[in-house]
Amino acid sequence: MDIIAVTIAAFFQFLGFAFFFVQPKDCCSPSPILGSWLFLLATLRFLWDVSIISRRFIPCNRIWQLVVETISTIFVAEIATIIIWCGIERFLYGLIEDFLGSCGPT
């Protein structure tokens, strides 16, 4: 993956822009955002190593390759953060809240 495509996707994700999915208004859960940032960094690092562009786009112009890589990187990063991470974070936050609530004084 091209460093420019990953950098553009990281810029939009860190600013909180979403192009393909609507972001939840409650920011997934009231837990600290450090986990979200670390998950996003790991996703972007993974996308940097993976070749998303198809072989049929290899002979294309360099600008078209960059456009396809940037759009696909933003799309995959949004799926990872908004759908996957928010679901995991909400589940774990609710589980921990229920567990700590049941351990407290009755």
Side-chain angles (χ1 to χ4, degrees):
M1 180 82 33
D2 195 357
I3 183 74
I4 297 170
V6 174
T7 305
I8 292 170
F11 176 73
F12 286 127
Q13 287 295 312
F14 286 130
L15 290 180
F17 292 128
F19 297 103
F20 298 101
F21 300 100
V22 178
Q23 289 186 349
K25 299 215 187 288
D26 60 353
C27 295
C28 298
S29 76
S31 63
I33 61 168
L34 178 63
S36 299
W37 289 79
L38 290 175
F39 186 80
L40 176 61
L41 287 174
T43 302
L44 291 171
R45 179 66 176 121
F46 173 74
L47 290 172
W48 189 348
D49 290 339
V50 173
S51 177
I52 290 181
I53 195 159
S54 174
R55 287 186 183 158
R56 73 178 155 166
F57 290 117
I58 297 290
C60 290
N61 188 359
R62 177 76 176 124
I63 294 176
W64 285 111
Q65 287 181 359
L66 181 64
V67 168
V68 169
E69 285 182 346
T70 303
I71 291 171
S72 59
T73 304
I74 291 172
F75 181 71
V76 172
E78 284 186 18
I79 286 175
T81 55
I82 295 174
I83 295 176
I84 296 171
W85 179 251
C86 279
I88 292 171
E89 189 177 36
R90 282 182 182 166
F91 172 73
L92 291 176
Y93 183 81
L95 186 69
I96 291 170
E97 191 175 58
D98 289 343
F99 177 73
L100 292 176
S102 67
C103 292
T106 56

